[in-house]
Amino acid sequence: MEQKHPSLGLCFFGSQLFYAVNEPNAPNSLARIGSFDFNTDTTKMLMGQSLAHFRGINQTISQLKEEYGIRHLRIHSFPKQECWTTVPKIVYDNADERERYISILMRETDRSEIHPTWYNLSNQDYKFLLLRTDHYQSNLQKLSTNTSSTDLISDFEIGGRWTQHANPGGSFMTIGCFENCISISSFILGKLRGATYLTFEEPENLPYFWLQSSKELGWMNGLHEQIYVYGINTFQIIDLLKSFWDDSGTVTKMNTLEQMQIEADESTYGFALEKAFPAIMLALNYN
């Protein structure tokens, strides 16, 4: 019988790296959840030009891969380094229109350096488009040496993995809280309805940006039975935005294993678990 190897999920918030390793023979179980602290913002380490900083984070991940015999790596990518948009299907169906649309969105980047990925939406009249650049993808993929496969997972995909894991049904929204950025994704009956992210210099500006964006993106004001919040500064983000969310929806900060429906040997951790939630979702395997 072929030996099953564990998968490693990684996410980055501020100066911290969070990781999770699954139990290959026990669904919904993790062998390890942990974190590493660095003295520099991890986004700058991964996207910047400093080889010394990048080498430090790369060595840390290499140690994890060796310690747990990792063959599959999934990395949670940064919303601000990507372009997300909803496109009418009529544009998607026409190759020339597709290319024209991409060139408008990424006008300062050569087309040969742009990687588009298309996703289905609950409304079949539209498609969801993710754009990444060569530079961004290659930097993150440098972390994947000695693994059989590597996936870069955007934040709006965390809700899809949550659907596979917990099967919440109905409608729900995920709010990923990053440094100077939040991502918002909406799902209905297991399908992506829409996603966007809002950047800000001061968190107090978020209510204005939410109102501004929701005028164009009606799904932001839609009915959401569950609202799942994770990442950094979650308490502050909830306090600022809760009044804009459906009154009947239940707001859950993903800060316990019970809420995540995950089993692990350790029950307490020296860091806020809501920061590790993306890594935990990425560590799990689905057919």
Side-chain angles (χ1 to χ4, degrees):
M1 184 175 178
E2 184 180 355
Q3 180 185 1
K4 292 184 178 180
H5 291 276
S7 298
L8 173 65
L10 299 176
C11 67
F12 307 89
F13 289 105
S15 61
Q16 293 178 293
L17 176 157
F18 298 90
Y19 68 92
V21 181
N22 76 322
E23 287 279 9
N25 299 308
N28 304 333
S29 296
L30 296 178
R32 180 70 178 170
I33 306 169
S35 70
F36 288 94
D37 293 341
F38 297 91
N39 58 10
T40 304
D41 184 274
T42 52
T43 309
K44 295 177 182 177
M45 292 172 72
L46 292 170
M47 297 298 104
Q49 302 299 318
S50 171
L51 291 178
H53 284 153
F54 187 90
R55 192 179 300 117
I57 202 167
N58 198 17
Q59 288 174 348
T60 299
I61 295 170
S62 295
Q63 291 170 6
L64 289 172
K65 289 186 290 190
E66 182 177 350
E67 180 179 354
Y68 292 101
I70 300 299
R71 292 293 180 272
H72 194 108
L73 173 64
R74 299 187 188 95
I75 304 172
H76 182 226
S77 60
F78 305 109
K80 285 176 66 175
Q81 299 295 328
E82 301 176 337
C83 177
W84 305 353
T85 187
T86 299
V87 179
K89 189 174 182 296
I90 192 171
V91 171
Y92 170 80
D93 289 338
N94 184 302
D96 291 338
E97 286 298 316
R98 283 202 310 266
E99 289 303 312
R100 191 173 296 114
Y101 206 91
I102 290 171
S103 67
I104 291 171
L105 290 170
M106 305 285 283
R107 60 172 59 94
E108 296 181 1
T109 306
D110 189 273
R111 178 63 180 89
S112 64
E113 299 176 359
I114 302 170
H115 296 270
T117 308
W118 297 88
Y119 297 81
N120 293 326
L121 291 173
S122 57
N123 185 340
Q124 296 183 9
D125 291 333
Y126 293 87
K127 289 280 191 178
F128 190 78
L129 174 60
L130 161 67
L131 298 173
R132 293 183 179 128
T133 65
D134 245 354
H135 173 71
Y136 177 60
Q137 277 203 170
S138 62
N139 269 17
L140 289 186
Q141 286 174 338
K142 287 176 185 175
L143 304 176
S144 64
T145 308
N146 299 325
T147 55
S148 299
S149 59
T150 302
D151 294 324
L152 302 184
I153 308 295
S154 293
D155 195 68
F156 66 85
E157 297 179 88
I158 296 297
R161 297 188 69 82
W162 174 250
T163 296
Q164 291 176 287
H165 169 62
N167 190 26
S171 61
F172 69 89
M173 184 162 62
T174 62
I175 307 289
C177 306
F178 299 79
E179 190 76 32
N180 302 122
C181 171
I182 65 166
S183 79
I184 309 119
S185 306
S186 175
F187 293 80
I188 183 167
L189 299 177
K191 295 182 179 180
L192 179 65
R193 180 160 46 181
T196 190
Y197 59 84
L198 307 178
T199 61
F200 56 88
E201 293 186 5
E202 299 295 335
E204 290 73 16
N205 296 329
L206 268 176
Y208 169 75
F209 294 140
W210 185 283
L211 280 172
Q212 190 179 48
S213 295
S214 63
K215 290 178 181 178
E216 301 295 330
L217 303 173
W219 55 263
M220 289 178 64
N221 295 322
L223 171 66
H224 295 99
E225 298 165 58
Q226 302 288 336
I227 299 164
Y228 303 106
V229 187
Y230 53 87
I232 59 176
N233 303 324
T234 52
F235 179 83
Q236 182 183 26
I237 299 302
I238 291 172
D239 187 53
L240 287 168
L241 296 178
K242 190 174 181 179
S243 62
F244 298 102
W245 302 338
D246 183 65
D247 288 340
S248 62
T250 300
V251 179
T252 302
K253 187 162 67 169
M254 304 302 282
N255 60 356
T256 69
L257 294 180
E258 182 180 7
Q259 288 165 339
M260 298 181 199
Q261 301 180 36
I262 289 293
E263 296 179 1
D265 289 339
E266 298 177 80
S267 57
T268 58
Y269 296 87
F271 52 85
L273 266 180
E274 63 266 27
K275 297 179 184 178
F277 177 68
I280 291 169
M281 289 295 100
L282 299 191
L284 301 175
N285 288 331
Y286 304 106
N287 294 327

